[in-house]
Amino acid sequence: MQSKTKRAIRTALQTLAAVAATLPALAALLADSALAVATPWLIAAAASAAVVAGIVARVMASPAFEALLDRFGLGLRDDRSGDTSA
C-alpha cells in the first residue's frame, strides 16, 4: 500500500474517532429535544465527514498539491525520500 493511501486512511480514522467521541454528548442532547428524529442523519453526516477527510488527505498527498503547499512552506519536506511503499 502506498504511503499516500495510508495517510488518507489514517486521517479518515482519526476524524471518525474524533466525531465518535462527540456523538454520545450529541445523542444525549438530542434525546431530550424535538430534534431526536435527526439522530440517524447526524450519524450519517459523521461518517461522511470521515470519508471526506480521507479524500482530502489523499488529494493533499498528490505531487501537484504538495508542490502548492511547498510554496507556502507547508509541504512535507522531511518526507522526501521518494519511498512510496512505506
Side-chain angles (χ1 to χ4, degrees):
M1 184 179 299
Q2 288 188 351
S3 173
K4 296 174 186 179
T5 303
K6 286 181 182 180
R7 287 186 191 120
I9 291 170
R10 286 191 336 219
T11 300
L13 290 174
Q14 290 166 356
T15 303
L16 186 59
V19 170
T22 61
L23 281 179
L26 186 59
L29 177 69
L30 289 176
D32 295 333
S33 73
L35 297 174
V37 295
T39 303
W41 179 86
L42 289 171
I43 292 170
S48 297
V51 170
V52 170
I55 291 170
V56 169
R58 183 67 171 112
V59 169
M60 289 181 71
S62 73
F65 202 86
E66 189 64 35
L68 178 66
L69 290 175
D70 280 340
R71 287 179 152 182
F72 295 102
L74 298 172
L76 297 175
R77 294 184 188 275
D78 60 340
D79 193 21
R80 294 287 185 214
S81 64
D83 180 22
T84 58
S85 63

Coordinates of all heavy atoms in Angstrom, one line a residue:
M1 N 0.9 -1.2 0.0 CA 0.0 0.0 0.0 C 0.9 1.2 0.0 O 1.9 1.3 0.7 CB -0.9 0.0 1.2 CG -1.9 1.1 1.3 SD -3.0 1.1 2.7 CE -3.8 -0.4 2.5
Q2 N 0.5 2.2 -0.8 CA 1.3 3.4 -0.9 C 1.2 4.3 0.3 O 0.2 4.2 1.0 CB 0.9 4.2 -2.1 CG 1.3 3.7 -3.4 CD 1.0 4.6 -4.6 OE1 0.4 5.6 -4.4 NE2 1.5 4.3 -5.7
S3 N 2.3 5.0 0.6 CA 2.3 5.9 1.7 C 1.1 6.9 1.7 O 0.5 7.2 2.7 CB 3.6 6.7 1.8 OG 3.6 7.6 2.7
K4 N 0.8 7.4 0.5 CA -0.3 8.4 0.4 C -1.6 7.8 0.8 O -2.4 8.4 1.4 CB -0.3 8.9 -1.1 CG 0.9 9.6 -1.5 CD 0.8 10.0 -3.0 CE 2.0 10.6 -3.5 NZ 2.0 10.9 -4.9
T5 N -1.8 6.6 0.4 CA -3.1 5.9 0.7 C -3.2 5.6 2.2 O -4.2 5.8 2.8 CB -3.2 4.6 0.0 OG1 -3.1 4.8 -1.4 CG2 -4.5 3.9 0.2
K6 N -2.0 5.2 2.8 CA -2.0 5.0 4.3 C -2.3 6.3 5.0 O -3.1 6.3 6.0 CB -0.7 4.5 4.7 CG -0.4 3.0 4.3 CD 1.0 2.6 4.8 CE 1.3 1.2 4.5 NZ 2.6 0.8 4.9
R7 N -1.8 7.4 4.6 CA -2.1 8.7 5.2 C -3.5 9.0 5.1 O -4.1 9.5 6.1 CB -1.2 9.8 4.6 CG 0.2 9.7 5.0 CD 1.0 10.9 4.5 NE 2.4 10.7 4.6 CZ 3.3 10.8 3.6 NH1 2.9 11.0 2.4 NH2 4.5 10.6 3.8
A8 N -4.1 8.8 4.0 CA -5.5 9.1 3.8 C -6.4 8.3 4.7 O -7.4 8.8 5.3 CB -6.0 8.9 2.3
I9 N -6.1 7.0 4.8 CA -6.8 6.1 5.7 C -6.7 6.5 7.1 O -7.7 6.5 7.9 CB -6.4 4.6 5.5 CG1 -6.9 4.2 4.1 CG2 -7.0 3.7 6.5 CD1 -6.3 2.8 3.6
R10 N -5.5 6.8 7.5 CA -5.2 7.3 8.9 C -6.0 8.6 9.2 O -6.6 8.7 10.3 CB -3.7 7.5 9.2 CG -3.0 6.2 9.3 CD -1.6 6.4 9.8 NE -1.0 7.7 9.5 CZ 0.2 8.0 9.2 NH1 1.1 7.0 9.0 NH2 0.6 9.2 9.0
T11 N -6.0 9.5 8.3 CA -6.8 10.7 8.5 C -8.3 10.4 8.7 O -8.9 11.0 9.5 CB -6.5 11.7 7.3 OG1 -5.1 12.0 7.3 CG2 -7.3 13.0 7.5
A12 N -8.8 9.6 7.8 CA -10.2 9.2 7.9 C -10.5 8.6 9.3 O -11.5 8.9 9.9 CB -10.6 8.3 6.8
L13 N -9.6 7.7 9.7 CA -9.8 7.0 11.0 C -9.7 8.0 12.2 O -10.5 8.0 13.2 CB -8.8 5.9 11.2 CG -9.1 4.7 10.3 CD1 -7.9 3.7 10.5 CD2 -10.4 4.0 10.6
Q14 N -8.8 9.0 12.1 CA -8.7 10.0 13.1 C -9.9 10.9 13.2 O -10.4 11.2 14.3 CB -7.4 10.8 12.9 CG -6.1 10.1 13.1 CD -5.0 10.9 12.5 OE1 -5.1 11.9 11.9 NE2 -3.8 10.3 12.7
T15 N -10.4 11.2 12.0 CA -11.6 12.0 12.0 C -12.8 11.3 12.6 O -13.6 11.8 13.3 CB -11.9 12.5 10.6 OG1 -10.8 13.2 10.1 CG2 -13.1 13.4 10.5
L16 N -12.9 10.0 12.2 CA -14.0 9.2 12.7 C -13.9 9.0 14.2 O -15.0 9.1 14.9 CB -14.0 7.8 12.0 CG -15.2 6.9 12.3 CD1 -16.5 7.5 11.9 CD2 -15.0 5.6 11.6
A17 N -12.7 8.9 14.7 CA -12.6 8.8 16.2 C -13.0 10.1 16.9 O -13.6 10.0 17.9 CB -11.1 8.4 16.5
A18 N -12.6 11.2 16.3 CA -12.9 12.5 16.9 C -14.5 12.7 16.9 O -15.0 13.2 17.9 CB -12.2 13.6 16.2
V19 N -15.1 12.4 15.8 CA -16.5 12.5 15.7 C -17.2 11.6 16.6 O -18.2 11.9 17.3 CB -17.0 12.4 14.2 CG1 -18.5 12.3 14.1 CG2 -16.4 13.5 13.3
A20 N -16.7 10.3 16.7 CA -17.4 9.3 17.5 C -17.3 9.7 19.0 O -18.2 9.4 19.8 CB -16.7 8.0 17.3
A21 N -16.2 10.4 19.3 CA -16.1 10.9 20.7 C -17.1 11.9 21.1 O -17.5 12.1 22.3 CB -14.7 11.5 21.0
T22 N -17.6 12.7 20.1 CA -18.6 13.7 20.4 C -20.1 13.2 20.2 O -21.0 13.9 20.7 CB -18.4 14.9 19.5 OG1 -18.6 14.5 18.1 CG2 -17.1 15.5 19.7
L23 N -20.2 12.1 19.6 CA -21.6 11.5 19.3 C -22.4 11.3 20.6 O -23.6 11.6 20.7 CB -21.5 10.3 18.4 CG -21.4 10.6 17.0 CD1 -21.3 9.3 16.2 CD2 -22.5 11.5 16.4
P24 N -21.8 10.7 21.7 CA -22.6 10.4 22.9 C -23.2 11.7 23.5 O -24.3 11.8 23.9 CB -21.6 9.8 23.8 CG -20.6 9.1 23.0 CD -20.5 10.0 21.8
A25 N -22.4 12.7 23.5 CA -22.9 14.0 24.1 C -23.9 14.6 23.2 O -25.0 15.1 23.6 CB -21.7 15.0 24.2
L26 N -23.7 14.5 21.9 CA -24.8 15.0 20.9 C -26.0 14.2 21.0 O -27.1 14.7 21.0 CB -24.2 14.9 19.5 CG -25.0 15.5 18.4 CD1 -25.3 17.0 18.7 CD2 -24.4 15.4 17.1
A27 N -25.9 12.8 21.2 CA -27.1 12.0 21.3 C -27.9 12.3 22.6 O -29.1 12.3 22.6 CB -26.7 10.5 21.3
A28 N -27.1 12.6 23.7 CA -27.8 12.9 25.0 C -28.5 14.3 24.8 O -29.6 14.4 25.3 CB -26.8 13.0 26.1
L29 N -28.0 15.2 24.1 CA -28.6 16.5 23.9 C -29.8 16.3 23.0 O -30.9 16.9 23.3 CB -27.6 17.4 23.2 CG -28.1 18.8 22.8 CD1 -28.4 19.6 24.1 CD2 -27.2 19.5 21.9
L30 N -29.8 15.5 22.0 CA -30.9 15.3 21.1 C -32.0 14.5 21.7 O -33.2 14.6 21.3 CB -30.4 14.7 19.8 CG -29.6 15.6 18.9 CD1 -29.1 14.8 17.7 CD2 -30.4 16.8 18.4
A31 N -31.6 13.6 22.6 CA -32.7 12.7 23.2 C -33.7 13.5 24.0 O -34.9 13.1 24.0 CB -32.0 11.7 24.2
D32 N -33.4 14.6 24.5 CA -34.3 15.4 25.3 C -34.9 16.6 24.4 O -35.5 17.5 25.0 CB -33.6 16.0 26.5 CG -33.2 15.0 27.5 OD1 -33.8 13.9 27.5 OD2 -32.2 15.2 28.2
S33 N -34.8 16.5 23.1 CA -35.3 17.6 22.3 C -36.2 17.1 21.2 O -36.2 15.8 20.9 CB -34.2 18.5 21.7 OG -33.5 17.7 20.7
A34 N -36.8 18.0 20.5 CA -37.7 17.6 19.4 C -36.8 17.2 18.2 O -37.4 16.7 17.2 CB -38.6 18.7 19.0
L35 N -35.5 17.4 18.2 CA -34.7 17.0 17.1 C -34.2 15.6 17.1 O -33.3 15.2 16.4 CB -33.4 18.0 17.1 CG -33.7 19.5 16.9 CD1 -32.5 20.3 17.1 CD2 -34.3 19.7 15.5
A36 N -34.7 14.8 18.0 CA -34.3 13.4 18.1 C -34.5 12.6 16.8 O -33.7 11.7 16.5 CB -35.1 12.7 19.2
V37 N -35.4 13.0 16.0 CA -35.5 12.4 14.7 C -34.3 12.6 13.8 O -34.2 11.9 12.8 CB -36.8 12.8 14.0 CG1 -38.1 12.4 14.8 CG2 -36.8 14.3 13.7
A38 N -33.5 13.6 14.1 CA -32.4 13.9 13.2 C -31.1 13.1 13.6 O -30.1 13.1 12.9 CB -32.0 15.4 13.4
T39 N -31.2 12.2 14.6 CA -30.1 11.5 15.1 C -29.5 10.6 14.0 O -28.3 10.6 13.8 CB -30.4 10.6 16.3 OG1 -30.9 11.5 17.3 CG2 -29.2 9.9 16.8
P40 N -30.3 9.8 13.2 CA -29.7 9.0 12.2 C -29.0 9.8 11.1 O -28.0 9.4 10.6 CB -30.9 8.2 11.6 CG -31.9 8.2 12.6 CD -31.7 9.5 13.4
W41 N -29.6 11.0 10.8 CA -28.9 11.8 9.8 C -27.6 12.3 10.3 O -26.6 12.4 9.6 CB -29.9 13.0 9.5 CG -29.3 14.0 8.6 CD1 -29.3 13.9 7.2 CD2 -28.5 15.1 8.9 NE1 -28.6 15.0 6.6 CE2 -28.1 15.7 7.6 CE3 -28.0 15.7 10.0 CZ2 -27.3 16.9 7.6 CZ3 -27.2 16.9 10.0 CH2 -26.9 17.4 8.7
L42 N -27.5 12.7 11.6 CA -26.3 13.1 12.2 C -25.2 12.0 12.2 O -24.0 12.3 12.0 CB -26.5 13.7 13.6 CG -27.3 15.0 13.7 CD1 -27.6 15.3 15.1 CD2 -26.4 16.1 13.1
I43 N -25.6 10.8 12.4 CA -24.6 9.7 12.4 C -24.1 9.5 11.0 O -22.9 9.3 10.8 CB -25.3 8.4 13.0 CG1 -25.5 8.6 14.5 CG2 -24.4 7.2 12.7 CD1 -26.3 7.5 15.1
A44 N -25.0 9.6 10.0 CA -24.6 9.5 8.6 C -23.7 10.7 8.2 O -22.7 10.5 7.5 CB -25.8 9.5 7.7
A45 N -24.0 11.9 8.8 CA -23.1 13.0 8.5 C -21.7 12.9 9.1 O -20.7 13.2 8.5 CB -23.8 14.3 9.0
A46 N -21.7 12.2 10.3 CA -20.4 12.0 10.9 C -19.5 11.0 10.1 O -18.3 11.2 9.9 CB -20.6 11.4 12.3
A47 N -20.2 10.0 9.6 CA -19.4 9.0 8.7 C -19.0 9.7 7.5 O -17.9 9.5 7.0 CB -20.3 7.8 8.4
S48 N -19.8 10.6 6.9 CA -19.5 11.3 5.7 C -18.3 12.2 5.9 O -17.4 12.4 5.1 CB -20.7 12.1 5.2 OG -21.7 11.3 4.9
A49 N -18.2 12.8 7.1 CA -17.1 13.7 7.5 C -15.8 12.9 7.4 O -14.8 13.4 7.0 CB -17.3 14.3 8.8
A50 N -15.8 11.7 8.0 CA -14.6 10.9 8.0 C -14.2 10.5 6.5 O -13.0 10.5 6.2 CB -14.8 9.6 8.8
V51 N -15.2 10.2 5.7 CA -14.8 9.9 4.3 C -14.3 11.1 3.6 O -13.3 11.0 2.9 CB -16.1 9.3 3.6 CG1 -15.9 9.2 2.1 CG2 -16.5 8.0 4.1
V52 N -14.9 12.2 3.8 CA -14.4 13.4 3.1 C -13.0 13.8 3.6 O -12.1 14.2 2.8 CB -15.4 14.6 3.3 CG1 -14.8 15.9 2.9 CG2 -16.7 14.3 2.6
A53 N -12.8 13.6 4.9 CA -11.4 13.9 5.4 C -10.4 13.0 4.8 O -9.3 13.4 4.5 CB -11.4 13.7 6.9
G54 N -10.7 11.7 4.6 CA -9.8 10.8 3.9 C -9.6 11.2 2.5 O -8.4 11.1 2.0
I55 N -10.6 11.6 1.8 CA -10.4 12.0 0.4 C -9.6 13.3 0.3 O -8.7 13.4 -0.5 CB -11.8 12.3 -0.3 CG1 -12.5 10.9 -0.4 CG2 -11.7 13.0 -1.6 CD1 -14.0 11.1 -0.8
V56 N -9.8 14.2 1.2 CA -9.0 15.5 1.2 C -7.5 15.1 1.5 O -6.6 15.7 0.9 CB -9.6 16.5 2.2 CG1 -8.6 17.6 2.4 CG2 -10.9 17.0 1.7
A57 N -7.3 14.2 2.4 CA -5.9 13.8 2.8 C -5.3 13.2 1.6 O -4.1 13.4 1.3 CB -5.9 12.8 3.9
R58 N -6.0 12.4 0.8 CA -5.4 11.7 -0.4 C -5.1 12.8 -1.5 O -4.0 12.7 -2.1 CB -6.4 10.7 -1.0 CG -5.9 9.9 -2.1 CD -4.7 9.1 -1.7 NE -4.4 8.2 -2.8 CZ -3.2 8.2 -3.4 NH1 -2.4 9.1 -3.2 NH2 -3.0 7.3 -4.4
V59 N -6.0 13.8 -1.7 CA -5.7 14.8 -2.6 C -4.5 15.6 -2.2 O -3.7 16.0 -3.0 CB -7.0 15.7 -2.8 CG1 -6.6 17.0 -3.6 CG2 -8.1 14.9 -3.5
M60 N -4.4 15.9 -0.9 CA -3.3 16.7 -0.4 C -2.0 16.0 -0.5 O -0.9 16.6 -0.5 CB -3.5 17.1 1.0 CG -4.6 18.2 1.1 SD -4.9 18.7 2.8 CE -3.5 19.6 3.1
A61 N -2.0 14.7 -0.7 CA -0.8 13.9 -0.8 C -0.3 13.8 -2.3 O 0.8 13.3 -2.5 CB -1.0 12.5 -0.3
S62 N -1.1 14.4 -3.2 CA -0.7 14.3 -4.6 C 0.5 15.3 -4.8 O 0.7 16.3 -4.1 CB -1.9 14.8 -5.5 OG -2.1 16.1 -5.4
P63 N 1.3 15.0 -5.8 CA 2.5 15.8 -6.1 C 2.2 17.3 -6.4 O 2.9 18.2 -6.0 CB 3.2 15.1 -7.3 CG 2.7 13.7 -7.2 CD 1.4 13.8 -6.6
A64 N 1.1 17.5 -7.2 CA 0.7 18.8 -7.5 C 0.3 19.6 -6.3 O 0.7 20.8 -6.1 CB -0.4 18.8 -8.5
F65 N -0.5 19.0 -5.4 CA -0.9 19.8 -4.2 C 0.3 19.9 -3.3 O 0.4 21.0 -2.6 CB -2.0 19.0 -3.5 CG -2.9 19.9 -2.7 CD1 -3.9 20.6 -3.2 CD2 -2.6 20.0 -1.3 CE1 -4.7 21.4 -2.4 CE2 -3.3 20.9 -0.5 CZ -4.4 21.6 -1.0
E66 N 1.1 18.9 -3.2 CA 2.3 19.0 -2.4 C 3.2 20.2 -2.8 O 3.8 20.9 -2.0 CB 3.1 17.7 -2.4 CG 4.2 17.7 -1.4 CD 3.8 17.7 0.1 OE1 2.7 17.2 0.4 OE2 4.5 18.3 0.9
A67 N 3.3 20.4 -4.2 CA 4.1 21.5 -4.7 C 3.5 22.8 -4.3 O 4.2 23.8 -4.0 CB 4.3 21.4 -6.2
L68 N 2.2 22.9 -4.3 CA 1.5 24.1 -3.9 C 1.7 24.4 -2.4 O 2.0 25.5 -2.0 CB 0.0 23.9 -4.2 CG -0.9 25.1 -3.8 CD1 -0.6 26.4 -4.6 CD2 -2.4 24.8 -3.9
L69 N 1.6 23.3 -1.6 CA 1.9 23.5 -0.2 C 3.3 23.9 0.1 O 3.6 24.7 1.0 CB 1.6 22.2 0.6 CG 0.1 21.9 0.7 CD1 -0.1 20.5 1.3 CD2 -0.7 22.9 1.4
D70 N 4.3 23.4 -0.7 CA 5.7 23.8 -0.6 C 5.8 25.3 -0.8 O 6.7 26.0 -0.2 CB 6.6 23.1 -1.6 CG 6.9 21.7 -1.1 OD1 6.8 21.4 0.1 OD2 7.3 20.8 -1.9
R71 N 5.1 25.9 -1.7 CA 5.1 27.3 -2.0 C 4.8 28.1 -0.7 O 5.3 29.2 -0.5 CB 4.1 27.7 -3.1 CG 4.6 27.3 -4.4 CD 3.5 27.8 -5.4 NE 4.0 28.0 -6.7 CZ 3.3 28.5 -7.7 NH1 2.1 28.7 -7.5 NH2 3.9 28.7 -8.8
F72 N 3.9 27.6 0.1 CA 3.5 28.3 1.4 C 4.3 27.8 2.6 O 3.9 28.1 3.7 CB 2.0 28.1 1.6 CG 1.2 28.8 0.5 CD1 0.6 28.0 -0.5 CD2 1.0 30.1 0.5 CE1 -0.1 28.6 -1.5 CE2 0.3 30.7 -0.5 CZ -0.3 30.0 -1.5
G73 N 5.2 26.9 2.4 CA 6.0 26.4 3.5 C 5.3 25.3 4.3 O 5.6 25.1 5.4
L74 N 4.3 24.7 3.7 CA 3.5 23.7 4.4 C 3.7 22.3 3.9 O 3.0 21.4 4.3 CB 2.0 24.1 4.3 CG 1.6 25.4 5.0 CD1 0.2 25.7 4.6 CD2 1.8 25.3 6.5
G75 N 4.7 22.1 3.0 CA 4.9 20.8 2.4 C 5.6 19.9 3.4 O 6.1 20.3 4.5
L76 N 5.7 18.6 3.0 CA 6.3 17.6 3.9 C 7.8 17.5 3.5 O 8.2 16.5 2.9 CB 5.6 16.3 3.8 CG 4.2 16.3 4.2 CD1 3.5 14.9 4.0 CD2 4.1 16.6 5.7
R77 N 8.6 18.5 3.8 CA 10.0 18.5 3.4 C 10.7 17.3 4.1 O 11.7 16.8 3.5 CB 10.6 19.8 3.9 CG 10.1 20.9 3.1 CD 10.9 22.2 3.5 NE 10.2 23.4 2.9 CZ 10.5 23.8 1.7 NH1 11.3 23.2 0.9 NH2 9.8 24.9 1.2
D78 N 10.3 16.9 5.2 CA 11.1 15.8 5.9 C 10.7 14.4 5.3 O 11.3 13.4 5.7 CB 10.8 15.8 7.4 CG 9.3 15.6 7.7 OD1 8.5 15.9 6.8 OD2 9.0 15.3 8.8
D79 N 9.8 14.3 4.4 CA 9.3 13.1 3.8 C 9.6 13.1 2.3 O 8.8 12.7 1.5 CB 7.9 12.9 4.1 CG 7.4 11.5 3.8 OD1 8.2 10.6 3.7 OD2 6.2 11.3 3.5
R80 N 10.8 13.4 1.9 CA 11.2 13.5 0.5 C 12.1 12.3 0.1 O 12.8 12.4 -0.9 CB 12.0 14.8 0.2 CG 11.1 16.0 0.4 CD 10.2 16.1 -0.7 NE 9.5 17.4 -0.6 CZ 8.2 17.5 -0.9 NH1 7.5 16.5 -1.4 NH2 7.6 18.7 -0.8
S81 N 12.0 11.2 0.8 CA 12.8 10.0 0.4 C 12.4 9.4 -0.9 O 13.2 8.6 -1.4 CB 12.7 9.0 1.6 OG 11.4 8.5 1.7
G82 N 11.2 9.6 -1.4 CA 10.8 9.0 -2.6 C 10.2 7.6 -2.4 O 9.8 7.0 -3.3
D83 N 10.2 7.1 -1.2 CA 9.7 5.8 -0.9 C 8.2 5.8 -0.8 O 7.6 6.4 0.1 CB 10.3 5.3 0.4 CG 9.8 3.9 0.8 OD1 9.4 3.2 -0.1 OD2 9.9 3.6 2.0
T84 N 7.5 5.2 -1.8 CA 6.1 5.2 -1.8 C 5.5 3.8 -1.3 O 4.3 3.6 -1.3 CB 5.5 5.4 -3.2 OG1 6.1 4.4 -4.1 CG2 5.9 6.8 -3.7
S85 N 6.4 2.9 -0.9 CA 5.9 1.6 -0.4 C 5.7 1.6 1.1 O 5.1 0.7 1.6 CB 6.9 0.5 -0.8 OG 8.1 0.8 -0.2
A86 N 6.2 2.6 1.8 CA 6.1 2.6 3.3 C 4.7 3.0 3.7 O 4.0 3.7 3.1 CB 7.1 3.4 3.9

